[in-house]
Amino acid sequence: PSDGTQYPLLSTLVHKLAIHQIFDVKSYLVVEFTNKKKLQQDLNLTQDQLHRLTHEISTLALSNPLISCIHAAKDKCVVSSGCAKVDHFLKGGLKAGQITEVCGRSSTGKTQICLQFALQ
């Protein structure tokens, strides 16, 4: 991000994140979710700072879902489900920058499909 005042913690940690192969929102959230303690140690952050960093990255992603920590991603980004039949039904997958509502009866796999997309 070019504006260090809007994302002060993130702007100071971009290089450290890159050293740890964290170049975009997805890779940050995967590492933060799977190994929060190691991420905290690698970046030399307190628990509060890590929480603030996650908040800054989430805010950045929500303000522009195509943004990465280093540079903006290309327009028309599509997230695949990893399942050819589901992607065919969705005309390629979920479109970045759009809200997709998943609805259905209890125990039909709504949470499972959302988790699958989150992993992609």
Side-chain angles (χ1 to χ4, degrees):
S2 58
D3 184 4
T5 59
Q6 190 172 1
Y7 306 102
L9 194 54
L10 177 58
S11 63
T12 62
L13 292 173
V14 167
H15 297 294
K16 274 188 180 182
L17 290 166
I19 289 169
H20 294 284
Q21 304 297 308
I22 300 172
F23 298 106
D24 54 30
V25 172
K26 178 183 173 184
S27 58
Y28 174 81
L29 292 176
V30 167
V31 171
E32 196 269 344
F33 180 75
T34 58
N35 203 342
K36 188 180 289 195
K37 199 62 145 172
K38 183 174 181 341
L39 179 65
Q40 185 178 343
Q41 291 171 347
D42 288 348
L43 298 177
N44 195 27
L45 298 174
T46 66
Q47 190 171 2
D48 182 56
Q49 288 172 318
L50 185 64
H51 178 74
R52 284 195 349 251
L53 177 62
T54 301
H55 177 75
E56 286 182 18
I57 289 175
S58 299
T59 301
L60 180 62
L62 290 173
S63 67
N64 181 352
L66 302 177
I67 197 103
S68 88
C69 295
I70 306 301
H71 63 299
K74 295 191 184 286
D75 288 338
K76 300 184 182 180
C77 179
V78 177
V79 179
S80 168
S81 68
C83 176
K85 289 186 179 189
V86 172
D87 287 345
H88 176 74
F89 178 74
L90 295 171
K91 298 180 180 159
L94 297 181
K95 311 305 184 264
Q98 295 181 352
I99 295 173
T100 303
E101 183 176 355
V102 179
C103 54
R105 291 185 176 192
S106 179
S107 299
T108 57
K110 298 179 300 293
T111 301
Q112 191 64 39
I113 198 164
C114 291
L115 291 172
Q116 181 64 34
F117 273 108
L119 288 173
Q120 298 297 323

